[in-house]
Amino acid sequence: MQIQSDPVVVPSKELIDLIQAVRMYQQQIARLQTPDWVNDNITRVKDFAQRNFVDF
């Protein structure tokens, strides 16, 4: 069995743009944080229910 493939030419500008886009998304994902109001609402629900989400 022999693997043959034709070379693919990708312009360097396209590769640079792709790498920059990936890095931008990685940075945005790294900065994601849960807003305080979400945490407050979760705490309020747990207090009203007098349970944790891990309780069965």
Side-chain angles (χ1 to χ4, degrees):
M1 184 171 161
Q2 187 177 16
I3 299 176
Q4 293 181 342
S5 64
D6 297 326
V8 176
V9 177
V10 179
S12 62
K13 169 116 175 66
E14 296 296 324
L15 286 176
I16 291 171
D17 289 346
L18 175 64
I19 291 168
Q20 287 177 342
V22 169
R23 286 181 179 164
M24 182 186 67
Y25 285 118
Q26 286 175 329
Q27 290 171 354
Q28 288 177 351
I29 290 171
R31 281 189 250 131
L32 284 178
Q33 295 178 348
T34 305
D36 288 337
W37 66 268
V38 172
N39 290 331
D40 292 342
N41 284 341
I42 290 172
T43 302
R44 192 174 304 123
V45 168
K46 289 192 307 189
D47 289 343
F48 284 139
Q50 297 179 349
R51 299 185 68 146
N52 272 331
F53 290 122
V54 295
D55 292 341
F56 292 103

